[in-house]
Amino acid sequence: MKEFGYDKQYDVIVAGGGVSGTVAAIAAGRLGADVLILEEGAYLGGALTGCGVGPMMTFHAGEKQVIRGIMEEIVERLKTDGYSTGHIYDTMQYISYLTPFNSEGLKVVLDEMTAEAGCTVLFHTFIGAAVCGEGKIESLTVCNKDGIHSVSARVYIDGTGDGDVAAFAGGAHDKGKRIRRRCPAHDYEHEVFECGHGSDQGAYQNAYRRFLPPSGE
């Protein structure tokens, strides 16, 4: 792994070490870029490694495999190391093929592949602000056990999942549905609570129906 420094300008900073951010970092690192990954958790992989989300689905459109590249390399590495059976037919017919995997094994594989690509990773690191000038991001403010620091790069990739960097940089964004400007789940839970959770099933059902999308949406 390359030497890290807060005062160093990287070629690429990837915010968020989920699967998308990690694959982007690997691709950039293989092209010779000096890459820094900022991840708020203790490992790479995002929901696939941290939230019990599995199996992966799907690399296929019907019988045809349409996703390959670095993601397919990850699956092959998982298979070689005994962490996955690879793509298998979905006998439940929910989709055509799915890809079971061991989440702890995926953590190991992503660590190995980012290191091989020459990427630097900062775990337990949160992004708090984006400093902008002349229509572009100049640096990101980060916080971890080292304290509050700035990191900078020529190119920034937002892999946070929530668009945090874009929002911090002033990019337009919506939260929840446009008509309510709040997360639908929050509105639903709040109204269910108000009508007496568990005491009035009719009111509960009416609250639920209010937050279903209109027919055809």
Side-chain angles (χ1 to χ4, degrees):
M1 186 177 291
K2 297 179 181 178
E3 183 178 353
F4 169 75
Y6 287 109
D7 56 351
K8 172 183 178 180
Q9 185 179 53
Y10 290 85
D11 295 320
V12 178
I13 288 180
V14 180
V19 173
S20 296
T22 302
V23 169
I26 292 171
R30 288 179 177 180
L31 292 173
D34 198 357
V35 182
L36 173 64
I37 304 173
L38 304 173
E39 167 55 40
E40 67 180 25
Y43 39 78
L44 300 172
L48 283 182
T49 54
C51 300
V53 177
M56 289 185 268
M57 55 183 186
T58 175
F59 285 66
H60 294 71
E63 295 296 317
K64 182 179 180 181
Q65 184 170 344
V66 294
I67 297 177
R68 295 186 183 273
I70 294 175
M71 278 306 303
E72 182 65 11
E73 288 183 40
I74 292 172
V75 173
E76 289 300 317
R77 182 80 69 98
L78 289 168
K79 288 170 58 179
T80 298
D81 295 347
Y83 298 128
S84 175
T85 58
H87 310 304
I88 62 174
Y89 181 69
D90 181 11
T91 57
M92 298 296 292
Q93 298 184 343
Y94 180 72
I95 54 173
S96 53
Y97 290 86
L98 46 80
T99 313
F101 68 98
N102 179 300
S103 59
E104 296 302 312
L106 181 56
K107 294 176 185 179
V108 173
V109 167
L110 295 180
D111 278 347
E112 292 174 345
M113 292 182 70
T114 50
E116 290 164 7
C119 302
T120 301
V121 186
L122 275 187
F123 291 118
H124 302 292
T125 298
F126 292 79
I127 301 165
V131 178
C132 302
E134 299 182 357
K136 64 180 183 180
I137 299 174
E138 295 180 346
S139 65
L140 297 178
T141 302
V142 298
C143 178
N144 54 30
K145 292 290 282 186
D146 289 334
I148 298 175
H149 296 272
S150 293
V151 290
S152 63
R154 294 189 299 110
V155 175
Y156 298 86
I157 297 175
D158 190 338
T160 61
D162 291 328
D164 289 344
V165 173
F168 285 139
H173 62 282
D174 292 315
K175 180 180 179 181
K177 287 190 173 183
R178 291 179 180 272
I179 57 174
R180 281 186 290 273
R181 295 292 185 184
R182 292 200 298 177
C183 294
H186 176 275
D187 289 344
Y188 164 58
E189 290 173 0
H190 180 70
E191 184 155 339
V192 169
F193 177 79
E194 284 186 336
C195 74
H197 180 66
S199 61
D200 187 338
Q201 289 300 313
Y204 179 92
Q205 291 296 331
N206 288 334
Y208 172 74
R209 291 190 187 97
R210 281 195 58 191
F211 295 98
L212 291 175
S215 177
E217 182 175 308

mmCIF file of all heavy atoms in Angstrom, residues 146-194:
data_model
loop_
_atom_site.group_PDB
_atom_site.id
_atom_site.type_symbol
_atom_site.label_atom_id
_atom_site.label_comp_id
_atom_site.label_asym_id
_atom_site.label_seq_id
_atom_site.Cartn_x
_atom_site.Cartn_y
_atom_site.Cartn_z
ATOM 1 N N ASP A 146 -7.759 10.507 13.990
ATOM 2 C CA ASP A 146 -6.682 11.495 13.866
ATOM 3 C C ASP A 146 -7.169 12.904 14.142
ATOM 4 O O ASP A 146 -6.373 13.817 14.305
ATOM 5 C CB ASP A 146 -6.078 11.464 12.456
ATOM 6 C CG ASP A 146 -5.266 10.209 12.210
ATOM 7 O OD1 ASP A 146 -4.763 9.628 13.181
ATOM 8 O OD2 ASP A 146 -5.128 9.811 11.031
ATOM 9 N N GLY A 147 -8.504 13.103 14.120
ATOM 10 C CA GLY A 147 -9.071 14.430 14.269
ATOM 11 C C GLY A 147 -9.762 14.865 12.998
ATOM 12 O O GLY A 147 -10.242 14.041 12.221
ATOM 13 N N ILE A 148 -9.823 16.167 12.771
ATOM 14 C CA ILE A 148 -10.459 16.727 11.584
ATOM 15 C C ILE A 148 -9.370 17.204 10.628
ATOM 16 O O ILE A 148 -8.490 17.984 11.006
ATOM 17 C CB ILE A 148 -11.394 17.889 11.949
ATOM 18 C CG1 ILE A 148 -12.513 17.376 12.869
ATOM 19 C CG2 ILE A 148 -11.993 18.525 10.696
ATOM 20 C CD1 ILE A 148 -13.415 18.463 13.387
ATOM 21 N N HIS A 149 -9.428 16.719 9.393
ATOM 22 C CA HIS A 149 -8.406 17.045 8.391
ATOM 23 C C HIS A 149 -9.057 17.289 7.041
ATOM 24 O O HIS A 149 -10.245 17.009 6.846
ATOM 25 C CB HIS A 149 -7.397 15.905 8.266
ATOM 26 C CG HIS A 149 -6.602 15.652 9.504
ATOM 27 N ND1 HIS A 149 -5.417 16.301 9.781
ATOM 28 C CD2 HIS A 149 -6.829 14.819 10.553
ATOM 29 C CE1 HIS A 149 -4.943 15.875 10.938
ATOM 30 N NE2 HIS A 149 -5.782 14.985 11.426
ATOM 31 N N SER A 150 -8.268 17.773 6.115
ATOM 32 C CA SER A 150 -8.698 17.930 4.731
ATOM 33 C C SER A 150 -7.895 16.994 3.849
ATOM 34 O O SER A 150 -6.706 16.770 4.096
ATOM 35 C CB SER A 150 -8.504 19.379 4.250
ATOM 36 O OG SER A 150 -9.370 20.261 4.936
ATOM 37 N N VAL A 151 -8.558 16.453 2.837
ATOM 38 C CA VAL A 151 -7.879 15.632 1.836
ATOM 39 C C VAL A 151 -8.294 16.155 0.472
ATOM 40 O O VAL A 151 -9.420 16.633 0.283
ATOM 41 C CB VAL A 151 -8.235 14.134 1.968
ATOM 42 C CG1 VAL A 151 -7.625 13.538 3.219
ATOM 43 C CG2 VAL A 151 -9.740 13.914 1.951
ATOM 44 N N SER A 152 -7.383 16.072 -0.481
ATOM 45 C CA SER A 152 -7.680 16.639 -1.800
ATOM 46 C C SER A 152 -7.216 15.714 -2.911
ATOM 47 O O SER A 152 -6.343 14.860 -2.726
ATOM 48 C CB SER A 152 -7.020 18.015 -1.963
ATOM 49 O OG SER A 152 -5.606 17.901 -1.891
ATOM 50 N N ALA A 153 -7.829 15.906 -4.069
ATOM 51 C CA ALA A 153 -7.497 15.096 -5.238
ATOM 52 C C ALA A 153 -7.860 15.878 -6.496
ATOM 53 O O ALA A 153 -8.537 16.914 -6.441
ATOM 54 C CB ALA A 153 -8.268 13.774 -5.210
ATOM 55 N N ARG A 154 -7.419 15.361 -7.636
ATOM 56 C CA ARG A 154 -7.793 15.976 -8.907
ATOM 57 C C ARG A 154 -9.202 15.547 -9.322
ATOM 58 O O ARG A 154 -9.927 16.276 -9.977
ATOM 59 C CB ARG A 154 -6.786 15.598 -9.998
ATOM 60 C CG ARG A 154 -5.388 16.159 -9.763
ATOM 61 C CD ARG A 154 -4.474 15.959 -10.952
ATOM 62 N NE ARG A 154 -4.285 14.542 -11.261
ATOM 63 C CZ ARG A 154 -4.783 13.937 -12.340
ATOM 64 N NH1 ARG A 154 -5.507 14.616 -13.208
ATOM 65 N NH2 ARG A 154 -4.545 12.661 -12.553
ATOM 66 N N VAL A 155 -9.583 14.326 -8.916
ATOM 67 C CA VAL A 155 -10.884 13.773 -9.275
ATOM 68 C C VAL A 155 -11.527 13.178 -8.022
ATOM 69 O O VAL A 155 -10.849 12.497 -7.242
ATOM 70 C CB VAL A 155 -10.756 12.680 -10.359
ATOM 71 C CG1 VAL A 155 -12.109 12.026 -10.629
ATOM 72 C CG2 VAL A 155 -10.179 13.261 -11.645
ATOM 73 N N TYR A 156 -12.840 13.418 -7.847
ATOM 74 C CA TYR A 156 -13.584 12.869 -6.709
ATOM 75 C C TYR A 156 -14.706 11.973 -7.231
ATOM 76 O O TYR A 156 -15.419 12.344 -8.166
ATOM 77 C CB TYR A 156 -14.182 13.984 -5.857
ATOM 78 C CG TYR A 156 -13.149 14.900 -5.250
ATOM 79 C CD1 TYR A 156 -12.654 15.997 -5.967
ATOM 80 C CD2 TYR A 156 -12.652 14.671 -3.972
ATOM 81 C CE1 TYR A 156 -11.702 16.834 -5.429
ATOM 82 C CE2 TYR A 156 -11.697 15.519 -3.417
ATOM 83 C CZ TYR A 156 -11.226 16.592 -4.150
ATOM 84 O OH TYR A 156 -10.265 17.427 -3.610
ATOM 85 N N ILE A 157 -14.846 10.802 -6.624
ATOM 86 C CA ILE A 157 -15.914 9.879 -6.975
ATOM 87 C C ILE A 157 -16.806 9.698 -5.760
ATOM 88 O O ILE A 157 -16.332 9.328 -4.684
ATOM 89 C CB ILE A 157 -15.351 8.514 -7.429
ATOM 90 C CG1 ILE A 157 -14.523 8.686 -8.707
ATOM 91 C CG2 ILE A 157 -16.480 7.516 -7.660
ATOM 92 C CD1 ILE A 157 -13.834 7.408 -9.163
ATOM 93 N N ASP A 158 -18.088 9.972 -5.933
ATOM 94 C CA ASP A 158 -19.045 9.829 -4.841
ATOM 95 C C ASP A 158 -19.638 8.430 -4.878
ATOM 96 O O ASP A 158 -20.496 8.123 -5.697
ATOM 97 C CB ASP A 158 -20.153 10.874 -4.978
ATOM 98 C CG ASP A 158 -21.043 10.950 -3.742
ATOM 99 O OD1 ASP A 158 -21.085 9.963 -2.980
ATOM 100 O OD2 ASP A 158 -21.686 11.998 -3.543
ATOM 101 N N GLY A 159 -19.160 7.577 -3.975
ATOM 102 C CA GLY A 159 -19.677 6.230 -3.856
ATOM 103 C C GLY A 159 -20.359 6.015 -2.524
ATOM 104 O O GLY A 159 -20.420 4.894 -2.027
ATOM 105 N N THR A 160 -20.891 7.099 -1.946
ATOM 106 C CA THR A 160 -21.470 7.025 -0.607
ATOM 107 C C THR A 160 -22.836 6.346 -0.582
ATOM 108 O O THR A 160 -23.306 5.935 0.464
ATOM 109 C CB THR A 160 -21.637 8.428 -0.002
ATOM 110 O OG1 THR A 160 -22.532 9.197 -0.831
ATOM 111 C CG2 THR A 160 -20.292 9.148 0.088
ATOM 112 N N GLY A 161 -23.475 6.260 -1.729
ATOM 113 C CA GLY A 161 -24.814 5.668 -1.770
ATOM 114 C C GLY A 161 -25.911 6.692 -1.546
ATOM 115 O O GLY A 161 -26.992 6.586 -2.119
ATOM 116 N N ASP A 162 -25.659 7.687 -0.714
ATOM 117 C CA ASP A 162 -26.630 8.750 -0.451
ATOM 118 C C ASP A 162 -26.284 10.038 -1.192
ATOM 119 O O ASP A 162 -26.981 11.046 -1.023
ATOM 120 C CB ASP A 162 -26.704 9.053 1.051
ATOM 121 C CG ASP A 162 -27.333 7.924 1.836
ATOM 122 O OD1 ASP A 162 -28.214 7.244 1.268
ATOM 123 O OD2 ASP A 162 -26.952 7.719 2.989
ATOM 124 N N GLY A 163 -25.209 10.028 -1.955
ATOM 125 C CA GLY A 163 -24.793 11.239 -2.657
ATOM 126 C C GLY A 163 -24.287 12.304 -1.720
ATOM 127 O O GLY A 163 -24.473 13.507 -1.955
ATOM 128 N N ASP A 164 -23.622 11.899 -0.633
ATOM 129 C CA ASP A 164 -23.174 12.854 0.383
ATOM 130 C C ASP A 164 -22.239 13.917 -0.181
ATOM 131 O O ASP A 164 -22.389 15.108 0.109
ATOM 132 C CB ASP A 164 -22.465 12.116 1.526
ATOM 133 C CG ASP A 164 -23.422 11.312 2.380
ATOM 134 O OD1 ASP A 164 -24.638 11.557 2.296
ATOM 135 O OD2 ASP A 164 -22.961 10.430 3.119
ATOM 136 N N VAL A 165 -21.262 13.495 -0.961
ATOM 137 C CA VAL A 165 -20.293 14.458 -1.488
ATOM 138 C C VAL A 165 -20.976 15.443 -2.423
ATOM 139 O O VAL A 165 -20.731 16.653 -2.374
ATOM 140 C CB VAL A 165 -19.136 13.730 -2.204
ATOM 141 C CG1 VAL A 165 -18.223 14.735 -2.903
ATOM 142 C CG2 VAL A 165 -18.328 12.904 -1.210
ATOM 143 N N ALA A 166 -21.835 14.931 -3.290
ATOM 144 C CA ALA A 166 -22.567 15.804 -4.205
ATOM 145 C C ALA A 166 -23.415 16.812 -3.434
ATOM 146 O O ALA A 166 -23.475 17.997 -3.784
ATOM 147 C CB ALA A 166 -23.444 14.977 -5.135
ATOM 148 N N ALA A 167 -24.068 16.353 -2.357
ATOM 149 C CA ALA A 167 -24.902 17.247 -1.550
ATOM 150 C C ALA A 167 -24.046 18.290 -0.834
ATOM 151 O O ALA A 167 -24.388 19.478 -0.811
ATOM 152 C CB ALA A 167 -25.707 16.441 -0.539
ATOM 153 N N PHE A 168 -22.934 17.850 -0.246
ATOM 154 C CA PHE A 168 -22.037 18.792 0.427
ATOM 155 C C PHE A 168 -21.487 19.833 -0.541
ATOM 156 O O PHE A 168 -21.200 20.966 -0.161
ATOM 157 C CB PHE A 168 -20.873 18.058 1.096
ATOM 158 C CG PHE A 168 -21.247 17.328 2.354
ATOM 159 C CD1 PHE A 168 -20.727 16.070 2.623
ATOM 160 C CD2 PHE A 168 -22.094 17.893 3.285
ATOM 161 C CE1 PHE A 168 -21.051 15.385 3.785
ATOM 162 C CE2 PHE A 168 -22.439 17.222 4.452
ATOM 163 C CZ PHE A 168 -21.911 15.960 4.706
ATOM 164 N N ALA A 169 -21.321 19.432 -1.805
ATOM 165 C CA ALA A 169 -20.775 20.338 -2.807
ATOM 166 C C ALA A 169 -21.835 21.263 -3.398
ATOM 167 O O ALA A 169 -21.539 22.086 -4.261
ATOM 168 C CB ALA A 169 -20.114 19.540 -3.928
ATOM 169 N N GLY A 170 -23.070 21.119 -2.938
ATOM 170 C CA GLY A 170 -24.131 22.007 -3.405
ATOM 171 C C GLY A 170 -24.977 21.448 -4.516
ATOM 172 O O GLY A 170 -25.792 22.172 -5.105
ATOM 173 N N GLY A 171 -24.819 20.177 -4.826
ATOM 174 C CA GLY A 171 -25.606 19.568 -5.879
ATOM 175 C C GLY A 171 -27.072 19.460 -5.490
ATOM 176 O O GLY A 171 -27.405 19.237 -4.329
ATOM 177 N N ALA A 172 -27.950 19.615 -6.461
ATOM 178 C CA ALA A 172 -29.384 19.514 -6.198
ATOM 179 C C ALA A 172 -29.741 18.089 -5.816
ATOM 180 O O ALA A 172 -29.227 17.134 -6.389
ATOM 181 C CB ALA A 172 -30.173 19.943 -7.434
ATOM 182 N N HIS A 173 -30.624 17.940 -4.840
ATOM 183 C CA HIS A 173 -31.033 16.610 -4.412
ATOM 184 C C HIS A 173 -32.389 16.675 -3.729
ATOM 185 O O HIS A 173 -32.818 17.741 -3.267
ATOM 186 C CB HIS A 173 -30.001 16.003 -3.451
ATOM 187 C CG HIS A 173 -29.827 16.781 -2.190
ATOM 188 N ND1 HIS A 173 -29.087 17.943 -2.138
ATOM 189 C CD2 HIS A 173 -30.310 16.580 -0.932
ATOM 190 C CE1 HIS A 173 -29.101 18.423 -0.902
ATOM 191 N NE2 HIS A 173 -29.844 17.621 -0.155
ATOM 192 N N ASP A 174 -33.089 15.564 -3.716
ATOM 193 C CA ASP A 174 -34.383 15.454 -3.046
ATOM 194 C C ASP A 174 -34.292 14.409 -1.954
ATOM 195 O O ASP A 174 -33.563 13.431 -2.078
ATOM 196 C CB ASP A 174 -35.486 15.034 -4.036
ATOM 197 C CG ASP A 174 -35.786 16.113 -5.055
ATOM 198 O OD1 ASP A 174 -35.897 17.281 -4.647
ATOM 199 O OD2 ASP A 174 -35.885 15.791 -6.264
ATOM 200 N N LYS A 175 -35.071 14.595 -0.908
ATOM 201 C CA LYS A 175 -35.163 13.619 0.172
ATOM 202 C C LYS A 175 -36.600 13.129 0.238
ATOM 203 O O LYS A 175 -37.519 13.907 0.487
ATOM 204 C CB LYS A 175 -34.759 14.244 1.504
ATOM 205 C CG LYS A 175 -34.835 13.266 2.679
ATOM 206 C CD LYS A 175 -34.416 13.944 3.963
ATOM 207 C CE LYS A 175 -34.513 12.982 5.150
ATOM 208 N NZ LYS A 175 -34.135 13.628 6.416
ATOM 209 N N GLY A 176 -36.777 11.837 -0.010
ATOM 210 C CA GLY A 176 -38.116 11.292 -0.035
ATOM 211 C C GLY A 176 -38.849 11.683 -1.302
ATOM 212 O O GLY A 176 -38.263 12.129 -2.280
ATOM 213 N N LYS A 177 -40.168 11.541 -1.293
ATOM 214 C CA LYS A 177 -40.968 11.896 -2.456
ATOM 215 C C LYS A 177 -41.108 13.411 -2.570
ATOM 216 O O LYS A 177 -41.168 14.118 -1.562
ATOM 217 C CB LYS A 177 -42.360 11.246 -2.365
ATOM 218 C CG LYS A 177 -42.338 9.753 -2.623
ATOM 219 C CD LYS A 177 -43.765 9.234 -2.771
ATOM 220 C CE LYS A 177 -43.739 7.781 -3.200
ATOM 221 N NZ LYS A 177 -45.111 7.262 -3.435
ATOM 222 N N ARG A 178 -41.189 13.895 -3.784
ATOM 223 C CA ARG A 178 -41.278 15.336 -4.011
ATOM 224 C C ARG A 178 -42.495 15.961 -3.337
ATOM 225 O O ARG A 178 -42.450 17.094 -2.867
ATOM 226 C CB ARG A 178 -41.322 15.622 -5.516
ATOM 227 C CG ARG A 178 -40.022 15.316 -6.239
ATOM 228 C CD ARG A 178 -40.155 15.599 -7.731
ATOM 229 N NE ARG A 178 -38.904 15.312 -8.429
ATOM 230 C CZ ARG A 178 -37.926 16.196 -8.578
ATOM 231 N NH1 ARG A 178 -38.060 17.404 -8.060
ATOM 232 N NH2 ARG A 178 -36.831 15.871 -9.224
ATOM 233 N N ILE A 179 -43.592 15.218 -3.276
ATOM 234 C CA ILE A 179 -44.824 15.806 -2.747
ATOM 235 C C ILE A 179 -44.776 16.017 -1.238
ATOM 236 O O ILE A 179 -45.496 16.852 -0.705
ATOM 237 C CB ILE A 179 -46.052 14.935 -3.106
ATOM 238 C CG1 ILE A 179 -45.874 13.502 -2.590
ATOM 239 C CG2 ILE A 179 -46.321 14.964 -4.595
ATOM 240 C CD1 ILE A 179 -47.097 12.630 -2.785
ATOM 241 N N ARG A 180 -43.920 15.256 -0.522
ATOM 242 C CA ARG A 180 -43.871 15.403 0.936
ATOM 243 C C ARG A 180 -42.503 15.859 1.438
ATOM 244 O O ARG A 180 -42.384 16.327 2.554
ATOM 245 C CB ARG A 180 -44.262 14.090 1.614
ATOM 246 C CG ARG A 180 -45.757 13.862 1.635
ATOM 247 C CD ARG A 180 -46.107 12.625 2.432
ATOM 248 N NE ARG A 180 -45.698 11.402 1.774
ATOM 249 C CZ ARG A 180 -46.441 10.752 0.896
ATOM 250 N NH1 ARG A 180 -47.625 11.215 0.568
ATOM 251 N NH2 ARG A 180 -46.014 9.635 0.342
ATOM 252 N N ARG A 181 -41.481 15.682 0.612
ATOM 253 C CA ARG A 181 -40.136 16.116 0.982
ATOM 254 C C ARG A 181 -39.593 15.414 2.211
ATOM 255 O O ARG A 181 -38.730 15.917 2.889
ATOM 256 C CB ARG A 181 -40.092 17.630 1.211
ATOM 257 C CG ARG A 181 -40.355 18.445 -0.024
ATOM 258 C CD ARG A 181 -39.236 18.301 -1.019
ATOM 259 N NE ARG A 181 -39.428 19.172 -2.152
ATOM 260 C CZ ARG A 181 -38.636 19.206 -3.210
ATOM 261 N NH1 ARG A 181 -37.599 18.397 -3.271
ATOM 262 N NH2 ARG A 181 -38.882 20.021 -4.204
ATOM 263 N N ARG A 182 -40.174 14.259 2.540
ATOM 264 C CA ARG A 182 -39.631 13.470 3.640
ATOM 265 C C ARG A 182 -39.573 12.023 3.209
ATOM 266 O O ARG A 182 -40.185 11.623 2.223
ATOM 267 C CB ARG A 182 -40.498 13.596 4.896
ATOM 268 C CG ARG A 182 -40.480 14.973 5.529
ATOM 269 C CD ARG A 182 -40.936 14.908 6.963
ATOM 270 N NE ARG A 182 -42.308 14.431 7.074
ATOM 271 C CZ ARG A 182 -42.906 14.235 8.239
ATOM 272 N NH1 ARG A 182 -42.268 14.440 9.364
ATOM 273 N NH2 ARG A 182 -44.164 13.807 8.283
ATOM 274 N N CYS A 183 -38.844 11.236 3.953
ATOM 275 C CA CYS A 183 -38.762 9.815 3.626
ATOM 276 C C CYS A 183 -40.122 9.163 3.863
ATOM 277 O O CYS A 183 -40.686 9.299 4.963
ATOM 278 C CB CYS A 183 -37.701 9.121 4.481
ATOM 279 S SG CYS A 183 -36.031 9.689 4.134
ATOM 280 N N PRO A 184 -40.672 8.436 2.877
ATOM 281 C CA PRO A 184 -41.983 7.815 3.045
ATOM 282 C C PRO A 184 -42.064 6.915 4.273
ATOM 283 O O PRO A 184 -43.090 6.895 4.949
ATOM 284 C CB PRO A 184 -42.143 7.014 1.749
ATOM 285 C CG PRO A 184 -41.289 7.733 0.758
ATOM 286 C CD PRO A 184 -40.114 8.247 1.531
ATOM 287 N N ALA A 185 -40.997 6.188 4.571
ATOM 288 C CA ALA A 185 -41.026 5.286 5.725
ATOM 289 C C ALA A 185 -41.218 6.071 7.018
ATOM 290 O O ALA A 185 -41.944 5.651 7.929
ATOM 291 C CB ALA A 185 -39.743 4.461 5.787
ATOM 292 N N HIS A 186 -40.594 7.234 7.107
ATOM 293 C CA HIS A 186 -40.726 8.066 8.301
ATOM 294 C C HIS A 186 -42.165 8.543 8.453
ATOM 295 O O HIS A 186 -42.750 8.495 9.544
ATOM 296 C CB HIS A 186 -39.783 9.264 8.208
ATOM 297 C CG HIS A 186 -39.913 10.224 9.348
ATOM 298 N ND1 HIS A 186 -40.853 11.236 9.358
ATOM 299 C CD2 HIS A 186 -39.250 10.307 10.523
ATOM 300 C CE1 HIS A 186 -40.749 11.921 10.485
ATOM 301 N NE2 HIS A 186 -39.789 11.381 11.201
ATOM 302 N N ASP A 187 -42.773 9.030 7.355
ATOM 303 C CA ASP A 187 -44.153 9.495 7.407
ATOM 304 C C ASP A 187 -45.096 8.367 7.814
ATOM 305 O O ASP A 187 -45.999 8.556 8.627
ATOM 306 C CB ASP A 187 -44.568 10.034 6.025
ATOM 307 C CG ASP A 187 -43.888 11.350 5.708
ATOM 308 O OD1 ASP A 187 -43.359 11.975 6.643
ATOM 309 O OD2 ASP A 187 -43.889 11.757 4.536
ATOM 310 N N TYR A 188 -44.882 7.206 7.236
ATOM 311 C CA TYR A 188 -45.735 6.050 7.503
ATOM 312 C C TYR A 188 -45.651 5.645 8.974
ATOM 313 O O TYR A 188 -46.664 5.481 9.656
ATOM 314 C CB TYR A 188 -45.323 4.910 6.575
ATOM 315 C CG TYR A 188 -45.827 3.549 6.967
ATOM 316 C CD1 TYR A 188 -47.193 3.301 7.107
ATOM 317 C CD2 TYR A 188 -44.936 2.496 7.190
ATOM 318 C CE1 TYR A 188 -47.659 2.045 7.458
ATOM 319 C CE2 TYR A 188 -45.390 1.242 7.538
ATOM 320 C CZ TYR A 188 -46.755 1.023 7.667
ATOM 321 O OH TYR A 188 -47.199 -0.213 8.017
ATOM 322 N N GLU A 189 -44.443 5.509 9.491
ATOM 323 C CA GLU A 189 -44.267 5.096 10.877
ATOM 324 C C GLU A 189 -44.854 6.124 11.839
ATOM 325 O O GLU A 189 -45.443 5.777 12.862
ATOM 326 C CB GLU A 189 -42.790 4.867 11.152
ATOM 327 C CG GLU A 189 -42.213 3.640 10.444
ATOM 328 C CD GLU A 189 -40.710 3.559 10.605
ATOM 329 O OE1 GLU A 189 -40.143 4.451 11.269
ATOM 330 O OE2 GLU A 189 -40.114 2.611 10.079
ATOM 331 N N HIS A 190 -44.688 7.405 11.497
ATOM 332 C CA HIS A 190 -45.198 8.458 12.371
ATOM 333 C C HIS A 190 -46.719 8.381 12.460
ATOM 334 O O HIS A 190 -47.302 8.475 13.551
ATOM 335 C CB HIS A 190 -44.767 9.821 11.832
ATOM 336 C CG HIS A 190 -45.250 10.970 12.665
ATOM 337 N ND1 HIS A 190 -44.758 11.226 13.919
ATOM 338 C CD2 HIS A 190 -46.193 11.911 12.426
ATOM 339 C CE1 HIS A 190 -45.358 12.289 14.421
ATOM 340 N NE2 HIS A 190 -46.242 12.721 13.524
ATOM 341 N N GLU A 191 -47.397 8.190 11.328
ATOM 342 C CA GLU A 191 -48.851 8.151 11.358
ATOM 343 C C GLU A 191 -49.361 6.888 12.037
ATOM 344 O O GLU A 191 -50.360 6.923 12.756
ATOM 345 C CB GLU A 191 -49.422 8.256 9.940
ATOM 346 C CG GLU A 191 -50.936 8.309 9.936
ATOM 347 C CD GLU A 191 -51.501 8.982 8.708
ATOM 348 O OE1 GLU A 191 -50.774 9.754 8.053
ATOM 349 O OE2 GLU A 191 -52.669 8.721 8.400
ATOM 350 N N VAL A 192 -48.682 5.762 11.818
ATOM 351 C CA VAL A 192 -49.086 4.533 12.492
ATOM 352 C C VAL A 192 -48.980 4.698 13.995
ATOM 353 O O VAL A 192 -49.851 4.273 14.763
ATOM 354 C CB VAL A 192 -48.222 3.344 12.015
ATOM 355 C CG1 VAL A 192 -48.447 2.126 12.900
ATOM 356 C CG2 VAL A 192 -48.563 2.997 10.571
ATOM 357 N N PHE A 193 -47.918 5.358 14.455
ATOM 358 C CA PHE A 193 -47.745 5.605 15.882
ATOM 359 C C PHE A 193 -48.885 6.475 16.422
ATOM 360 O O PHE A 193 -49.441 6.227 17.490
ATOM 361 C CB PHE A 193 -46.404 6.283 16.137
ATOM 362 C CG PHE A 193 -46.171 6.628 17.578
ATOM 363 C CD1 PHE A 193 -45.771 5.661 18.488
ATOM 364 C CD2 PHE A 193 -46.358 7.931 18.031
ATOM 365 C CE1 PHE A 193 -45.554 5.976 19.816
ATOM 366 C CE2 PHE A 193 -46.149 8.260 19.356
ATOM 367 C CZ PHE A 193 -45.745 7.274 20.244
ATOM 368 N N GLU A 194 -49.259 7.515 15.644
ATOM 369 C CA GLU A 194 -50.296 8.430 16.089
ATOM 370 C C GLU A 194 -51.651 7.748 16.211
ATOM 371 O O GLU A 194 -52.467 8.096 17.074
ATOM 372 C CB GLU A 194 -50.407 9.611 15.122
ATOM 373 C CG GLU A 194 -49.286 10.625 15.275
ATOM 374 C CD GLU A 194 -49.513 11.848 14.415
ATOM 375 O OE1 GLU A 194 -50.240 11.732 13.404
ATOM 376 O OE2 GLU A 194 -48.983 12.916 14.754
#
